Each structure stands twice: as C-alpha cells, then as structure tokens.
C-alpha cells in the first residue's frame, strides 16, 4: 500500500511539507471513536491516535476538528498524537437547522458521492435536490444510481433517470441492479486508485448490496452494532474508510447513513411552508390548532382558505418527523454506548501511564 492508494496527492503533499522536518508522518483518519481515532499509515498499518491539546483548542468550531477522511500529521510514539490536520479538499457536512453557523462534518476529502435510489417508491425529486445541494457544497462529484432496475419496466427506470438528470446536468445518472453484479461495472469508472467514494440514500435502496459486490464475497460487512451483544453483525472492528480490492476508497460511517433522515425531514417540512407560516400567526406559539383561542389555522379552515385534508397531512408530518427523530436517537444511543465502552477500555489502558502533569499533549477528553 502507498499513500496514493489512500488518496494522497500533490496538494496534500505540499500542505504536509512544513511538518516533514519534525519527523511526523502523514496518516488518514479511518475511524472516529469520539475520544480516539483510527489512522491508516502509508504501509497499511493502523494506529489508534489522539489529537493534541493544541489541535483541539485551535479548533474554532466542531467542524475544524479532525474527522473521518482527514489527512493529518501524526507524531508516532508511545502516544500517537495528531499534531495538525491538513486542509480539506472537499468536506461533506450538515448545516444544523436553526444554527446556521454550526456545521457537522460527515466525512472529509470525499471525491465522489454516489446517491442510490430506485424508480419506484424511493424516488423523490425534492429529496434528490437536497442531496445535490449537500454534495454541491462539499465539492465532490455527484453520481446517481437508479437501482433495482429488475423490479421496474425499462421505460420507468429511464424516466426516473431522465427526471434526475433534469435536476442536475452535471450529475452522472445510471440505471443499475445490485442483484446482477455486472450492472455495477459502471462504478468502476469512478472507483479509481486514490479516489474516495461514499454512498448516500434511504435504507433499503441497496447500498449494502452494492458495497458487498464491490468488495467481493470474502469481504465482511460490519452492520449496525447489535444492541444486545454490542457486537457488529460480522466483524468487531467497524472501519469507516476502507480500501477496495480493485482500487478506490470507500467511506461509510454513521453520519453518512443518517443523511437521508435529515434530508427527509427538511423535504417533508418544505412541502408545508404555507402551513408553517399560518401556524406562526396563531396566538399561542405552542398552539395545538384544536380548541385553542386565536388559532390562525382553524380560522383559515372556517374561512375556507385552508383545506382540512391538507391540514391533516400537516399534522401527520409531525408524527413522521418524530419517528425520524426517534430512529436517529436510537442510533445515537448505540454510538454513545459503543464510545463509552471504548472509553472504559481506553481508561484501563492509559490511566496508569498517562500523567497530565508531565505530558500535556494527548487530548483524552470527550469531544464537544
Ligand atoms: P441498504 O439499506 O441501502 O444498504 O439496502 P440493502 O443493500 O440492505 O438492500 C435492501 C434489500 O433490497 C435487500 O433485500 C437486497 O437484497 C435488495 N436489493 C438490493 N439491490 C437490489 C436490486 O438491484 N434488485 C432487487 N430486486 N433487490 C435489491
Ligand atoms: Zn393554531
């Protein structure tokens, strides 16, 4: 393995040059354990690393902290310490609603984002627009797979692909069937040596099937951590960045898997901006729009300017969003449990040898 296999290029090399004389090594972050990170070195060696107090304190926002996909300057020793994060070439992130300045990084230095959908129930052009928005902001190239082509007539698959192309002329849109491996040959075009790829899309559209195909039969996919046993379905180490056998780098982490959820929430809300505007005019801000006095929504329904069916759909929206939130919370709790477990293991391993009086560098505190 070489640095190039991991995505290294001339621009990263130039950014790294000032650190070379310190004897630090370039490494790519492949896993985020909240307290520690997994890092991959040029020779394929994996290390558990921590960021220096300086990297932590110099970060003005969470988005400045190292993330999966980042290249860092690593001080390899008894503690493997991240001394610096190299500037990102792309950055897939979520802007938290309401707090426009807060940004949550999902993955750094992703070159190609593959959106997976199908020509049936999953196809939602509003959501697709949002995916394109996120990808556009990241700087990565968008590719769309209209998957499960075996389930729909060819004309329907083509119509779906056309409607997506119409949204974004620069996106490559392909019709695929993950069940038939050959149909995924088209991905070879993007999965070149050193190119980092990630897959977005609702659950059930075929992302894992596609990934399994790309890795071949002997690849063991780590799914959600099992709630009962705390173990992954197949393997115990969940790597979030992996080198594909034929070249190319796959990034897949919990953040990536959540993109469809918050995209869906935003998409759902966007369909009802008129009702949200009305609700804002209710006398009480926590108006339930039932018997409350001064309810602008009930007034609009009596006046005949608002259709009751549409209002019912709006109420259902809150339930749906609540459901999305519950799923997200469950996922978050699983991640936190896992990181607590890692933290305990970490404490057992480092408590007796890490003395803050004498070494202020490793940053072992839970990140913000
Ligand atoms: P993910 O949630 O996006 O990772 O989706 P999965 O890869 O787990 O796929 C969900 C289901 O759809 C599985 O039962 C797959 O076997 C099935 N599936 C995936 N791709 C295809 C396809 O191209 N055609 C058909 N008919 N089924 C597919
Ligand atoms: Zn009201």
């Amino acid at each position: 393995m070489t640095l190039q296999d991991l995505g290294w290029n001339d621009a990263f090399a130039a950014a790294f040059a000032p650190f070379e004389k310190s004897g630090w090594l370039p490494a790519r972050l492949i896993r985020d354990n909240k307290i520690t990170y997994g890092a991959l070195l040029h020779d394929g060696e994996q290390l558990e690393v921590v960021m220096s107090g300086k990297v932590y304190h110099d970060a003005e926002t969470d988005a400045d902290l190292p993330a999966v996909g980042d290249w860092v300057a690593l001080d390899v020793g008894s503690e493997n310490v991240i001394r610096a994060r190299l500037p990102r070439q792309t950055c897939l992130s979520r802007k938290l609603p309401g707090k426009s300045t807060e940004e949550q990084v999902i993955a750094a230095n992703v070159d190609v984002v593959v959106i997976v959908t199908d020509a049936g129930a999953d196809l939602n052009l509003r959501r697709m627009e949002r995916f394109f928005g996120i990808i556009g902001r990241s700087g990565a190239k968008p590719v769309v797979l209209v998957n499960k082509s075996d389930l729909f007539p060819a004309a329907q698959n083509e119509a779906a692909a056309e409607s997506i192309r119409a949204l974004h002329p620069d996106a490559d849109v392909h019709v695929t069937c993950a069940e038939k491996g050959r149909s995924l040959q088209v991905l070879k075009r993007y999965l070149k040596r050193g190119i980092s790829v990630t897959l977005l899309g609702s659950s059930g559209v075929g992302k894992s099937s596609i990934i399994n195909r790309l890795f071949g039969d002997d690849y063991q996919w780590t799914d959600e951590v099992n709630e009962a046993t705390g173990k992954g379905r197949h393997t115990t180490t969940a790597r979030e960045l992996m080198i594909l056998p034929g070249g190319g780098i796959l990034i897949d982490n919990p953040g990536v898997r959540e993109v469809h959820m918050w995209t869906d929430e935003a998409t759902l809300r966007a369909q009802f901006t008129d009702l949200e505007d009305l609700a804002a005019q209710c006398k009480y801000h926590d108006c339930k729009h039932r018997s409350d006095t001064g309810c602008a929504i009930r007034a609009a329904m009596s006046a005949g300017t608002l259709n009751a069916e549409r209002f019912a759909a709006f109420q259902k929206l809150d339930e749906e969003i609540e459901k999305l939130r519950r799923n997200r919370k469950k996922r978050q709790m699983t991640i936190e449990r896992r990181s607590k477990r890692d933290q305990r293991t970490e404490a057992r391993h480092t408590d007796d040898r890490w003395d803050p009086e004498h070494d202020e560098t490793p940053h072992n505190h839970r990140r913000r």
Side-chain angles (χ1 to χ4, degrees):
M1 193 179 291
T2 67
L3 283 178
Q4 281 70 28
D5 291 320
L6 296 176
W8 190 251
N9 58 36
D10 291 347
F12 287 126
F16 184 76
F19 305 117
E20 218 149 354
K21 60 181 178 308
S22 316
W24 299 338
L25 298 176
R28 194 158 188 204
L29 300 182
I30 61 167
R31 191 174 177 209
D32 182 347
N33 306 319
K34 295 297 163 208
I35 301 134
T36 63
Y37 294 91
L40 205 53
L41 299 184
H42 66 95
D43 55 2
E45 190 188 355
Q46 275 182 59
L47 294 175
E48 183 111 12
V49 307
V50 291
M51 67 179 131
S52 67
K54 179 168 166 35
V55 169
Y56 179 74
H57 292 294
D58 284 355
E60 281 178 21
T61 65
D62 281 8
D64 293 329
L65 294 171
V68 169
D70 265 325
W71 281 99
V72 298
L74 196 64
D75 188 353
V76 179
S78 60
E79 298 275 358
N80 302 310
V81 182
I82 298 172
R83 296 293 174 186
R85 174 177 69 71
L86 304 188
R88 292 171 180 148
Q89 293 176 2
T90 70
C91 180
L92 196 62
S93 71
R94 171 187 189 188
K95 285 257 200 304
L96 297 178
K99 307 177 188 172
S100 60
T101 54
E102 253 192 78
E103 190 183 3
Q104 185 185 324
V105 176
I106 300 163
N109 302 314
V110 175
D111 302 296
V112 178
V113 178
V114 178
I115 307 170
V116 186
T117 185
D118 65 28
D122 189 66
L123 183 65
N124 177 328
L125 296 178
R126 300 288 82 74
R127 189 210 290 141
M128 193 61 66
E129 273 171 349
R130 289 182 192 275
F131 279 143
F132 285 143
I134 294 161
I135 299 168
R137 190 151 46 79
S138 79
K141 175 178 175 61
V143 174
V144 183
L145 302 185
V146 180
N147 192 42
K148 302 195 179 182
S149 62
D150 56 319
L151 299 183
F152 308 99
Q156 188 175 342
N157 289 324
E158 259 325 303
E162 264 318 305
S163 62
I164 297 165
R165 283 184 197 111
L167 289 179
H168 196 314
D170 296 334
D172 293 354
V173 185
H174 308 283
V175 174
T176 60
C177 174
E179 303 281 272
K180 301 193 196 88
R182 273 194 59 77
S183 135
L184 295 175
Q185 287 295 326
V186 67
L187 279 175
K188 293 259 150 49
R189 228 181 275 179
Y190 310 99
L191 292 167
K192 299 238 170 73
R193 177 175 181 245
I195 298 295
S196 301
V197 176
T198 196
L199 276 75
L200 299 185
S202 330
S203 66
V205 291
K207 298 181 300 298
S208 313
S209 309
I210 293 167
I211 291 169
N212 284 335
R213 288 276 179 190
L214 297 177
F215 278 100
D217 290 336
D218 31 285
Y219 174 70
Q220 305 255 287
W221 184 242
T222 308
D223 210 292
E224 294 278 295
V225 170
N226 182 299
E227 303 249 334
T229 64
K231 284 191 186 127
R233 202 161 60 186
H234 300 301
T235 61
T236 46
T237 48
R239 273 203 281 160
E240 301 179 351
L241 182 153
M242 290 151 289
I243 313 298
L244 291 159
I249 301 148
L250 179 78
I251 298 186
D252 182 68
N253 66 21
V256 170
R257 281 179 238 160
E258 270 181 357
V259 171
H260 77 271
M261 280 202 262
W262 45 268
T263 308
D264 285 354
E265 175 172 339
T267 307
L268 289 170
R269 286 212 185 278
Q271 292 162 5
F272 290 101
T273 48
D274 54 332
L275 274 131
E276 300 217 314
D277 290 348
L278 261 181
Q281 292 164 32
C282 293
K283 185 166 171 199
Y284 302 106
H285 76 91
D286 58 348
C287 181
K288 298 280 179 292
H289 321 305
R290 289 197 190 98
S291 52
D292 318 58
T293 51
C295 175
I297 285 188
R298 295 195 66 82
M301 280 196 287
S302 326
T305 53
L306 172 64
N307 161 325
E309 262 170 47
R310 188 162 164 75
F311 173 59
F314 176 67
Q315 280 182 310
K316 205 164 145 262
L317 167 79
D318 276 332
E319 276 168 40
E320 279 185 52
I321 288 176
E322 197 42 48
K323 209 163 75 195
L324 287 171
R325 290 225 173 98
R326 271 199 304 274
N327 288 343
R328 192 181 302 160
K329 185 126 203 242
K330 215 165 93 191
R331 157 93 40 80
Q332 191 56 38
M333 278 160 54
T334 308
I335 296 167
E336 275 170 16
R337 255 202 304 280
R338 191 168 27 157
S339 90
K340 272 195 199 118
R341 191 190 59 209
D342 291 349
Q343 200 170 0
R344 278 196 298 273
T345 319
E346 171 78 4
R348 274 201 296 281
H349 291 157
T350 57
D351 266 7
D352 36 291
R353 63 190 165 91
W354 184 56
D355 178 358
E357 291 283 311
H358 295 101
D359 184 356
E360 85 297 6
T361 44
H363 181 82
N364 279 12
H365 304 291
R366 194 180 167 69
R367 293 205 299 281
R368 292 170 281 197

